[in-house]
Amino acid sequence: MRYRVGLETRTRILEATRDLVAAQGLEKTTIKAICEKAGILVGSFYNLFESKEEAILTVVADAIRAVGPEDEEATLHELVDAYVDFVEKSETTARVYLMVAVSGGLTDEGIRARMLRHHERRIELFGRALRTARPDMPEEEVRQRVEGLLAALNGMAFHRLLDPSFDFRSYARALLQIGA
Amino acid sequence: MRYRVGLETRTRILEATRDLVAAQGLEKTTIKAICEKAGILVGSFYNLFESKEEAILTVVADAIRAVGPEDEEATLHELVDAYVDFVEKSETTARVYLMVAVSGGLTDEGIRARMLRHHERRIELFGRALRTARPDMPEEEVRQRVEGLLAALNGMAFHRLLDPSFDFRSYARALLQIGA
DNA sequence: GGCGACTTTGAGTGATCATTCTAATTTGAT
DNA sequence: ATCAAATTAGAATGATCACTCAAAGTCGCC
C-alpha cells in the first residue's frame, strides 16, 4: 500500500466492513460481502489485508478509539455527555463498539484482549472523575459504582440505537445521581 | 418423536444448543458442534428438528420464557429482584437471553419478532407497576422511564455475567430511585 | 516514456457449512 | 415374539466460506 489508489481502496474496505459488521454482526460478515460493497474483487482485499480478521480488528480498534477523548481532567458529567455524543453522532461506529463491548468478542482473542484493555482504561478514567467529586468514597466502592454506571450506560446506548426516540442524554445524566 | 429415547435426545440437543449459543453466539454455533456435544450424529438431529434455525429458535424462546413470571400484580421492586434472580441463578440461559435482547436477532426474522413481542410485554409489565407506584406520572414519561430502566438493567446484567463479583442486586435496586 | 513496484483481476483450492437419504437398529404396543 | 413406527448411523451433496496465485494492468519516480 504505497500508492494513492491503494489507500483509497483500503478506506473503502474498512467502511464496507464497518457498515456490514454494524448491520449483521461480526460472524455473518463475509469477505464476499465486504468486497461487493467496496466495489472490488477478493484479490484486492488480500493485497491490502492479511485476513478477514485483520480488517475486522482494524474496524473494532477504530471504533474503540472513537469512543472517548480520554481527557484525564474531565468531570463525570462531561464524560457521560461525551459518550452520549459519540453514540448519537456516530451511530454505525457506536453499534460496532457496543456489539463488541457487550459480547466481549466471544471468539476472537485479539478483539477480546483489546476490549478488555479499553474497559480497564474507562474504569480508570471514570474512577478518577468520581474520586475527584467524592474524595471520601472508599476505593472499592468507587470501582463498583463506576462499573455499574458504565454497564448501565452501555445498556441505554444499545436501546438508543434500537429506538432513536429514546432520550438517552436525560437518562444518562440521571444515572449520575446514583453513580456520584 | 413418540418414543422415550427421542424425547431424551431432544432434551440433550437443546441443552447442547443452549450451552454453545451462550459460549460462542448464534452464528458460530454449528450443527456439527451441537451433535458432538449431545453425543449424536446429524441424522438424529434432523429426525427431531427441521433445521438448525428451529433448534436455536426453541432455545431462544425457552430463554425468553425463563425471564419472568409475568406477575401482573408485582411491584417494581419485585420485578427488578426477580430479574436479578434470573440472571444470577440461570447464567447460561441469561446469557442467551441477553445476547438476543441486545443484538435483537440481527439476521433471523423469527428470533427478532419474538424478542420484539417480549420487549413490549416487559414494558407493559414494568409500566403497570410504575403507574401503580406513581399514579400521577404522565403516560409518556412512564414509558420512557421504563425503557430506560430496562435498558440499564440489561446492561448491568451483561456486566454481571462478565464479572461475577459485580453487585448486580444493589445497583439494580439503586436504579429504582431514578426509575420510580 | 521507461520501468520497477504496486494494484487488480478472477478462476481455483480445500475446508466447512447445513441438509438429505437409505439402510440398519431400537422401541413398545399388541 | 411380532411388527410397524420411531430412531440412529453415517456417507453424500451442493453451497459457501476464507484464502491463493499468476497474469494483466496501473502508478509515479526517473
Side-chain angles (χ1 to χ4, degrees):
Chain A
M1 192 189 52
R2 305 237 187 99
Y3 293 164
R4 185 180 43 81
V5 283
L7 219 142
E8 285 169 4
T9 301
R10 189 186 142 89
T11 302
R12 266 186 293 129
I13 289 174
L14 289 176
E15 285 170 356
T17 305
R18 163 174 44 77
D19 292 353
L20 287 167
V21 167
Q24 318 179 346
L26 294 175
E27 316 295 352
K28 273 234 165 174
T29 298
T30 65
I31 299 274
K32 189 165 175 277
I34 292 172
C35 291
E36 270 170 20
K37 203 172 175 76
I40 58 169
L41 293 178
V42 270
S44 296
F45 179 92
Y46 283 98
N47 177 52
L48 293 164
F49 294 90
E50 288 267 322
S51 64
K52 172 185 156 184
E53 212 179 322
E54 186 192 324
I56 288 188
L57 181 56
T58 304
V59 164
V60 169
D62 286 350
I64 289 176
R65 207 172 301 118
V67 175
E70 308 261 344
D71 177 1
E72 310 270 329
E73 308 291 330
T75 65
L76 259 189
H77 193 283
E78 286 164 352
L79 288 171
V80 167
D81 256 34
Y83 184 56
V84 173
D85 284 341
F86 164 66
V87 171
E88 305 213 319
K89 288 178 186 159
S90 327
E91 291 203 13
T92 308
T93 302
R95 201 176 296 265
V96 171
Y97 171 74
L98 283 168
M99 288 175 59
V100 179
V102 121
S103 70
L106 260 77
T107 43
D108 188 303
E109 199 44 55
I111 292 179
R112 184 187 183 77
R114 220 181 183 95
M115 189 44 89
L116 283 177
R117 243 187 302 139
H118 164 75
H119 188 235
E120 280 305 318
R121 256 186 286 124
R122 289 225 105 198
I123 288 179
E124 270 188 46
L125 190 65
F126 279 66
R128 193 190 325 270
L130 179 52
R131 268 192 301 275
T132 303
R134 298 276 299 271
D136 54 312
M137 191 179 283
E139 188 51 36
E140 183 47 38
E141 193 180 345
V142 167
R143 189 185 171 92
Q144 281 262 338
R145 289 209 178 203
V146 166
E147 285 185 351
L149 173 62
L150 287 174
L153 277 177
N154 281 344
M156 286 183 172
F158 234 108
H159 183 65
R160 169 59 175 73
L161 292 179
L162 295 177
D163 174 9
S165 76
F166 175 64
D167 186 0
F168 182 25
R169 195 175 302 272
S170 298
Y171 287 87
R173 285 176 178 170
L175 275 179
L176 291 178
Q177 295 167 14
I178 299 173
Chain B
M1 191 187 54
R2 304 237 189 99
Y3 295 164
R4 184 182 42 80
V5 284
L7 218 141
E8 286 169 3
T9 301
R10 189 186 143 89
T11 302
R12 265 185 295 131
I13 289 174
L14 290 176
E15 286 171 355
T17 305
R18 180 204 349 109
D19 292 353
L20 287 167
V21 168
Q24 317 180 350
L26 293 176
E27 316 295 351
K28 273 235 165 174
T29 298
T30 66
I31 299 275
K32 189 164 175 279
I34 292 172
C35 292
E36 271 171 18
K37 202 173 176 75
I40 58 170
L41 292 178
V42 271
S44 298
F45 179 92
Y46 282 98
N47 176 53
L48 293 164
F49 293 90
E50 289 266 321
S51 64
K52 171 185 157 183
E53 210 178 322
E54 187 193 322
I56 288 187
L57 181 56
T58 304
V59 164
V60 169
D62 287 350
I64 289 177
R65 208 173 299 117
V67 175
E70 307 263 344
D71 178 0
E72 309 270 328
E73 309 292 331
T75 65
L76 259 191
H77 193 284
E78 285 163 352
L79 288 171
V80 167
D81 256 33
Y83 184 56
V84 173
D85 284 341
F86 164 67
V87 172
E88 306 214 318
K89 288 178 186 160
S90 325
E91 290 202 15
T92 308
T93 302
R95 201 175 296 265
V96 171
Y97 171 75
L98 283 168
M99 287 175 62
V100 178
V102 121
S103 70
L106 260 76
T107 43
D108 187 303
E109 200 44 56
I111 291 179
R112 184 186 182 77
R114 216 174 187 104
M115 189 45 88
L116 284 177
R117 244 188 302 138
H118 163 75
H119 188 233
E120 279 306 318
R121 256 185 286 124
R122 290 226 105 198
I123 288 178
E124 271 187 45
L125 189 66
F126 278 66
R128 193 191 324 270
L130 179 53
R131 269 191 301 276
T132 303
R134 298 276 300 267
D136 54 309
M137 190 179 282
E139 187 51 36
E140 184 48 37
E141 194 180 343
V142 167
R143 190 186 170 90
Q144 281 262 339
R145 290 208 177 203
V146 166
E147 285 185 351
L149 173 62
L150 288 174
L153 277 178
N154 281 344
M156 285 184 173
F158 234 108
H159 183 65
R160 169 59 176 72
L161 293 178
L162 294 178
D163 174 9
S165 76
F166 176 63
D167 187 358
F168 182 23
R169 195 175 302 272
S170 298
Y171 286 86
R173 286 177 178 168
L175 275 179
L176 290 178
Q177 296 167 12
I178 301 174

